[in-house]
Amino acid sequence: SQTIHQWPATLVQPVGSPLSLECTVEGTSNPNLYWYRQAAGRGLQLLFYSVGIGQISSEVPQNLSASRPQDRQFILSSKKLLLSDSGFYLCAWGSPNQPQHFGDGTRLSIL
Amino acid sequence: GENVGLHLPTLSVQEGDNSIINCAYSNSASDYFIWYKQESGKGPQFIIDIRSNMDKRQGQRVTVLLNKTVKHLSLQIAATQPGDSAVYFCAENLGGISGGYNKLIFGAGTRLAVHP
């Protein structure tokens, strides 16, 4: 069966520090991969998606970037974090016209 | 964990009652709809989906109804249990596949509180 892993579960970072969140998927090949952000009490906002290695599309302009160095690895990064980057970050995988399946997220707090 | 549901509308039900959670979607071209359940501090969990060529689909204790005329989606949970307490999100797929991926737009969510 397919599984998706995100880490870390919780992260506290100072403003201006770099960020790297990692997501890996097991049990499937060539999945579509997604990064979402969820503000407290809100729905999910799509940040990035990828249909293959090295292929990244951004949905909203922001301080973050994404990379897909391997088929089942998706990384969310920032060179310098802003206070507004705080939130709950979720990785998901899916196939076209099928449900997306989510990891358990990373709660990021910027101080 | 993340305090999901801080500002969300809340549906309170008694254990054993049936629950109905409603969702209005925005795009008449959307062809695929999904309901997710999210517990505090966790990622959304798939519950049930429905395609636009159907108006009803049933799962285990859950039923999804789709009314394309008024762009309305509902999730019915039978015999609601304390373990059903969570935030529920609907999501719509915007009209087919673009570039090989499907773009989901999520609703704001509804918090379901089940009381014993």
Side-chain angles (χ1 to χ4, degrees), chain A residues 1-7 23-26 33-34 90-94 101-104:
Chain A
S1 63
Q2 301 89 359
T3 56
I4 180 168
H5 304 279
Q6 278 187 251
W7 66 91
C23 171
T24 59
V25 181
E26 296 176 0
L33 296 174
Y34 306 84
L90 290 154
C91 180
W93 74 271
H101 300 276
F102 289 83
D104 276 339

PDB file of all heavy atoms in Angstrom, chain A residues 1-7 23-26 33-34 90-94 101-104:
ATOM      1  N   SER A   1       0.841  -1.189   0.000  1.00  0.00           N
ATOM      2  CA  SER A   1       0.000   0.000   0.000  1.00  0.00           C
ATOM      3  C   SER A   1       0.882   1.248   0.000  1.00  0.00           C
ATOM      4  O   SER A   1       2.057   1.201   0.342  1.00  0.00           O
ATOM      5  CB  SER A   1      -0.911   0.000   1.229  1.00  0.00           C
ATOM      6  OG  SER A   1      -0.155   0.059   2.395  1.00  0.00           O
ATOM      7  N   GLN A   2       0.259   2.350  -0.411  1.00  0.00           N
ATOM      8  CA  GLN A   2       1.014   3.594  -0.515  1.00  0.00           C
ATOM      9  C   GLN A   2       1.045   4.317   0.826  1.00  0.00           C
ATOM     10  O   GLN A   2       0.061   4.334   1.553  1.00  0.00           O
ATOM     11  CB  GLN A   2       0.372   4.501  -1.564  1.00  0.00           C
ATOM     12  CG  GLN A   2       0.305   3.888  -2.952  1.00  0.00           C
ATOM     13  CD  GLN A   2      -0.965   3.084  -3.172  1.00  0.00           C
ATOM     14  OE1 GLN A   2      -1.796   2.960  -2.267  1.00  0.00           O
ATOM     15  NE2 GLN A   2      -1.108   2.522  -4.350  1.00  0.00           N
ATOM     16  N   THR A   3       2.166   4.909   1.124  1.00  0.00           N
ATOM     17  CA  THR A   3       2.288   5.720   2.336  1.00  0.00           C
ATOM     18  C   THR A   3       3.028   7.005   1.992  1.00  0.00           C
ATOM     19  O   THR A   3       3.800   7.059   1.030  1.00  0.00           O
ATOM     20  CB  THR A   3       3.056   4.987   3.450  1.00  0.00           C
ATOM     21  OG1 THR A   3       4.340   4.595   2.942  1.00  0.00           O
ATOM     22  CG2 THR A   3       2.319   3.757   3.933  1.00  0.00           C
ATOM     23  N   ILE A   4       2.771   8.026   2.794  1.00  0.00           N
ATOM     24  CA  ILE A   4       3.420   9.314   2.596  1.00  0.00           C
ATOM     25  C   ILE A   4       3.954   9.791   3.937  1.00  0.00           C
ATOM     26  O   ILE A   4       3.281   9.677   4.965  1.00  0.00           O
ATOM     27  CB  ILE A   4       2.441  10.342   1.972  1.00  0.00           C
ATOM     28  CG1 ILE A   4       3.129  11.692   1.763  1.00  0.00           C
ATOM     29  CG2 ILE A   4       1.161  10.468   2.769  1.00  0.00           C
ATOM     30  CD1 ILE A   4       2.317  12.647   0.885  1.00  0.00           C
ATOM     31  N   HIS A   5       5.185  10.276   3.927  1.00  0.00           N
ATOM     32  CA  HIS A   5       5.841  10.691   5.159  1.00  0.00           C
ATOM     33  C   HIS A   5       6.290  12.135   5.043  1.00  0.00           C
ATOM     34  O   HIS A   5       6.861  12.525   4.018  1.00  0.00           O
ATOM     35  CB  HIS A   5       7.062   9.807   5.433  1.00  0.00           C
ATOM     36  CG  HIS A   5       6.736   8.351   5.497  1.00  0.00           C
ATOM     37  ND1 HIS A   5       6.212   7.754   6.625  1.00  0.00           N
ATOM     38  CD2 HIS A   5       6.850   7.364   4.579  1.00  0.00           C
ATOM     39  CE1 HIS A   5       6.024   6.469   6.393  1.00  0.00           C
ATOM     40  NE2 HIS A   5       6.400   6.203   5.155  1.00  0.00           N
ATOM     41  N   GLN A   6       6.050  12.895   6.080  1.00  0.00           N
ATOM     42  CA  GLN A   6       6.528  14.270   6.143  1.00  0.00           C
ATOM     43  C   GLN A   6       7.319  14.439   7.433  1.00  0.00           C
ATOM     44  O   GLN A   6       6.921  13.925   8.482  1.00  0.00           O
ATOM     45  CB  GLN A   6       5.350  15.250   6.222  1.00  0.00           C
ATOM     46  CG  GLN A   6       4.698  15.586   4.940  1.00  0.00           C
ATOM     47  CD  GLN A   6       3.671  16.677   5.123  1.00  0.00           C
ATOM     48  OE1 GLN A   6       2.478  16.442   5.037  1.00  0.00           O
ATOM     49  NE2 GLN A   6       4.146  17.907   5.358  1.00  0.00           N
ATOM     50  N   TRP A   7       8.353  15.229   7.356  1.00  0.00           N
ATOM     51  CA  TRP A   7       9.068  15.570   8.594  1.00  0.00           C
ATOM     52  C   TRP A   7       9.779  16.906   8.432  1.00  0.00           C
ATOM     53  O   TRP A   7      10.028  17.341   7.311  1.00  0.00           O
ATOM     54  CB  TRP A   7      10.068  14.477   8.963  1.00  0.00           C
ATOM     55  CG  TRP A   7      11.212  14.270   8.045  1.00  0.00           C
ATOM     56  CD1 TRP A   7      12.445  14.847   8.081  1.00  0.00           C
ATOM     57  CD2 TRP A   7      11.216  13.386   6.914  1.00  0.00           C
ATOM     58  NE1 TRP A   7      13.218  14.384   7.052  1.00  0.00           N
ATOM     59  CE2 TRP A   7      12.499  13.481   6.331  1.00  0.00           C
ATOM     60  CE3 TRP A   7      10.272  12.537   6.346  1.00  0.00           C
ATOM     61  CZ2 TRP A   7      12.841  12.738   5.206  1.00  0.00           C
ATOM     62  CZ3 TRP A   7      10.626  11.811   5.238  1.00  0.00           C
ATOM     63  CH2 TRP A   7      11.887  11.917   4.674  1.00  0.00           C
ATOM     64  N   CYS A  23       9.249  15.517   2.075  1.00  0.00           N
ATOM     65  CA  CYS A  23       8.100  14.633   1.913  1.00  0.00           C
ATOM     66  C   CYS A  23       8.530  13.475   1.013  1.00  0.00           C
ATOM     67  O   CYS A  23       9.125  13.700  -0.043  1.00  0.00           O
ATOM     68  CB  CYS A  23       6.954  15.412   1.273  1.00  0.00           C
ATOM     69  SG  CYS A  23       5.530  14.437   0.766  1.00  0.00           S
ATOM     70  N   THR A  24       8.226  12.256   1.434  1.00  0.00           N
ATOM     71  CA  THR A  24       8.522  11.102   0.588  1.00  0.00           C
ATOM     72  C   THR A  24       7.293  10.207   0.510  1.00  0.00           C
ATOM     73  O   THR A  24       6.506  10.114   1.458  1.00  0.00           O
ATOM     74  CB  THR A  24       9.713  10.280   1.104  1.00  0.00           C
ATOM     75  OG1 THR A  24       9.421   9.826   2.434  1.00  0.00           O
ATOM     76  CG2 THR A  24      10.977  11.107   1.118  1.00  0.00           C
ATOM     77  N   VAL A  25       7.145   9.565  -0.621  1.00  0.00           N
ATOM     78  CA  VAL A  25       6.024   8.671  -0.881  1.00  0.00           C
ATOM     79  C   VAL A  25       6.573   7.280  -1.150  1.00  0.00           C
ATOM     80  O   VAL A  25       7.596   7.138  -1.823  1.00  0.00           O
ATOM     81  CB  VAL A  25       5.197   9.161  -2.079  1.00  0.00           C
ATOM     82  CG1 VAL A  25       4.018   8.239  -2.343  1.00  0.00           C
ATOM     83  CG2 VAL A  25       4.717  10.583  -1.853  1.00  0.00           C
ATOM     84  N   GLU A  26       5.890   6.272  -0.648  1.00  0.00           N
ATOM     85  CA  GLU A  26       6.289   4.889  -0.892  1.00  0.00           C
ATOM     86  C   GLU A  26       5.124   4.121  -1.481  1.00  0.00           C
ATOM     87  O   GLU A  26       3.961   4.433  -1.222  1.00  0.00           O
ATOM     88  CB  GLU A  26       6.726   4.229   0.424  1.00  0.00           C
ATOM     89  CG  GLU A  26       7.965   4.856   1.050  1.00  0.00           C
ATOM     90  CD  GLU A  26       8.309   4.227   2.400  1.00  0.00           C
ATOM     91  OE1 GLU A  26       7.574   3.315   2.839  1.00  0.00           O
ATOM     92  OE2 GLU A  26       9.300   4.661   3.001  1.00  0.00           O
ATOM     93  N   LEU A  33       2.731  15.227  -7.081  1.00  0.00           N
ATOM     94  CA  LEU A  33       3.018  15.633  -5.708  1.00  0.00           C
ATOM     95  C   LEU A  33       2.616  17.088  -5.505  1.00  0.00           C
ATOM     96  O   LEU A  33       2.712  17.899  -6.436  1.00  0.00           O
ATOM     97  CB  LEU A  33       4.516  15.450  -5.408  1.00  0.00           C
ATOM     98  CG  LEU A  33       5.024  14.009  -5.456  1.00  0.00           C
ATOM     99  CD1 LEU A  33       6.535  13.953  -5.295  1.00  0.00           C
ATOM    100  CD2 LEU A  33       4.354  13.159  -4.389  1.00  0.00           C
ATOM    101  N   TYR A  34       2.178  17.380  -4.288  1.00  0.00           N
ATOM    102  CA  TYR A  34       1.612  18.695  -3.997  1.00  0.00           C
ATOM    103  C   TYR A  34       2.122  19.191  -2.637  1.00  0.00           C
ATOM    104  O   TYR A  34       2.292  18.408  -1.700  1.00  0.00           O
ATOM    105  CB  TYR A  34       0.082  18.616  -3.917  1.00  0.00           C
ATOM    106  CG  TYR A  34      -0.589  18.003  -5.127  1.00  0.00           C
ATOM    107  CD1 TYR A  34      -0.710  16.615  -5.248  1.00  0.00           C
ATOM    108  CD2 TYR A  34      -1.108  18.799  -6.136  1.00  0.00           C
ATOM    109  CE1 TYR A  34      -1.329  16.043  -6.351  1.00  0.00           C
ATOM    110  CE2 TYR A  34      -1.732  18.239  -7.245  1.00  0.00           C
ATOM    111  CZ  TYR A  34      -1.844  16.861  -7.346  1.00  0.00           C
ATOM    112  OH  TYR A  34      -2.456  16.315  -8.445  1.00  0.00           O
ATOM    113  N   LEU A  90       1.296  20.884   4.340  1.00  0.00           N
ATOM    114  CA  LEU A  90       0.863  19.526   4.022  1.00  0.00           C
ATOM    115  C   LEU A  90       1.372  19.114   2.649  1.00  0.00           C
ATOM    116  O   LEU A  90       1.270  19.874   1.685  1.00  0.00           O
ATOM    117  CB  LEU A  90      -0.658  19.444   4.038  1.00  0.00           C
ATOM    118  CG  LEU A  90      -1.304  19.555   5.422  1.00  0.00           C
ATOM    119  CD1 LEU A  90      -2.714  20.080   5.316  1.00  0.00           C
ATOM    120  CD2 LEU A  90      -1.285  18.203   6.116  1.00  0.00           C
ATOM    121  N   CYS A  91       1.886  17.913   2.592  1.00  0.00           N
ATOM    122  CA  CYS A  91       2.292  17.308   1.335  1.00  0.00           C
ATOM    123  C   CYS A  91       1.235  16.290   0.942  1.00  0.00           C
ATOM    124  O   CYS A  91       0.631  15.647   1.821  1.00  0.00           O
ATOM    125  CB  CYS A  91       3.654  16.642   1.515  1.00  0.00           C
ATOM    126  SG  CYS A  91       4.313  15.825   0.057  1.00  0.00           S
ATOM    127  N   ALA A  92       0.992  16.157  -0.329  1.00  0.00           N
ATOM    128  CA  ALA A  92       0.017  15.175  -0.809  1.00  0.00           C
ATOM    129  C   ALA A  92       0.526  14.537  -2.094  1.00  0.00           C
ATOM    130  O   ALA A  92       1.321  15.126  -2.828  1.00  0.00           O
ATOM    131  CB  ALA A  92      -1.345  15.828  -1.044  1.00  0.00           C
ATOM    132  N   TRP A  93       0.038  13.324  -2.353  1.00  0.00           N
ATOM    133  CA  TRP A  93       0.324  12.673  -3.626  1.00  0.00           C
ATOM    134  C   TRP A  93      -0.991  12.233  -4.253  1.00  0.00           C
ATOM    135  O   TRP A  93      -1.999  12.028  -3.568  1.00  0.00           O
ATOM    136  CB  TRP A  93       1.260  11.467  -3.436  1.00  0.00           C
ATOM    137  CG  TRP A  93       0.607  10.265  -2.827  1.00  0.00           C
ATOM    138  CD1 TRP A  93       0.492   9.978  -1.500  1.00  0.00           C
ATOM    139  CD2 TRP A  93      -0.042   9.193  -3.534  1.00  0.00           C
ATOM    140  NE1 TRP A  93      -0.186   8.801  -1.331  1.00  0.00           N
ATOM    141  CE2 TRP A  93      -0.525   8.291  -2.551  1.00  0.00           C
ATOM    142  CE3 TRP A  93      -0.256   8.906  -4.875  1.00  0.00           C
ATOM    143  CZ2 TRP A  93      -1.204   7.123  -2.889  1.00  0.00           C
ATOM    144  CZ3 TRP A  93      -0.933   7.738  -5.215  1.00  0.00           C
ATOM    145  CH2 TRP A  93      -1.398   6.864  -4.223  1.00  0.00           C
ATOM    146  N   GLY A  94      -0.988  12.093  -5.567  1.00  0.00           N
ATOM    147  CA  GLY A  94      -2.203  11.649  -6.222  1.00  0.00           C
ATOM    148  C   GLY A  94      -1.954  11.298  -7.672  1.00  0.00           C
ATOM    149  O   GLY A  94      -0.875  11.510  -8.207  1.00  0.00           O
ATOM    150  N   HIS A 101      -3.884  12.154  -1.462  1.00  0.00           N
ATOM    151  CA  HIS A 101      -3.677  11.572  -0.141  1.00  0.00           C
ATOM    152  C   HIS A 101      -2.602  12.387   0.570  1.00  0.00           C
ATOM    153  O   HIS A 101      -1.534  12.625   0.007  1.00  0.00           O
ATOM    154  CB  HIS A 101      -3.261  10.108  -0.257  1.00  0.00           C
ATOM    155  CG  HIS A 101      -4.282   9.276  -0.960  1.00  0.00           C
ATOM    156  ND1 HIS A 101      -5.377   8.737  -0.306  1.00  0.00           N
ATOM    157  CD2 HIS A 101      -4.404   8.915  -2.255  1.00  0.00           C
ATOM    158  CE1 HIS A 101      -6.120   8.074  -1.182  1.00  0.00           C
ATOM    159  NE2 HIS A 101      -5.553   8.158  -2.370  1.00  0.00           N
ATOM    160  N   PHE A 102      -2.901  12.754   1.805  1.00  0.00           N
ATOM    161  CA  PHE A 102      -2.074  13.711   2.531  1.00  0.00           C
ATOM    162  C   PHE A 102      -1.196  13.064   3.599  1.00  0.00           C
ATOM    163  O   PHE A 102      -1.579  12.058   4.215  1.00  0.00           O
ATOM    164  CB  PHE A 102      -2.978  14.747   3.214  1.00  0.00           C
ATOM    165  CG  PHE A 102      -3.639  15.690   2.259  1.00  0.00           C
ATOM    166  CD1 PHE A 102      -4.809  15.330   1.602  1.00  0.00           C
ATOM    167  CD2 PHE A 102      -3.083  16.934   1.999  1.00  0.00           C
ATOM    168  CE1 PHE A 102      -5.415  16.198   0.706  1.00  0.00           C
ATOM    169  CE2 PHE A 102      -3.689  17.813   1.114  1.00  0.00           C
ATOM    170  CZ  PHE A 102      -4.849  17.442   0.467  1.00  0.00           C
ATOM    171  N   GLY A 103      -0.048  13.707   3.828  1.00  0.00           N
ATOM    172  CA  GLY A 103       0.764  13.383   4.988  1.00  0.00           C
ATOM    173  C   GLY A 103       0.179  14.041   6.221  1.00  0.00           C
ATOM    174  O   GLY A 103      -0.856  14.724   6.151  1.00  0.00           O
ATOM    175  N   ASP A 104       0.840  13.876   7.347  1.00  0.00           N
ATOM    176  CA  ASP A 104       0.337  14.425   8.599  1.00  0.00           C
ATOM    177  C   ASP A 104       0.824  15.841   8.879  1.00  0.00           C
ATOM    178  O   ASP A 104       0.546  16.394   9.935  1.00  0.00           O
ATOM    179  CB  ASP A 104       0.679  13.496   9.764  1.00  0.00           C
ATOM    180  CG  ASP A 104      -0.341  12.382   9.915  1.00  0.00           C
ATOM    181  OD1 ASP A 104      -1.468  12.547   9.408  1.00  0.00           O
ATOM    182  OD2 ASP A 104      -0.010  11.356  10.520  1.00  0.00           O
TER     183      ASP A 104
END
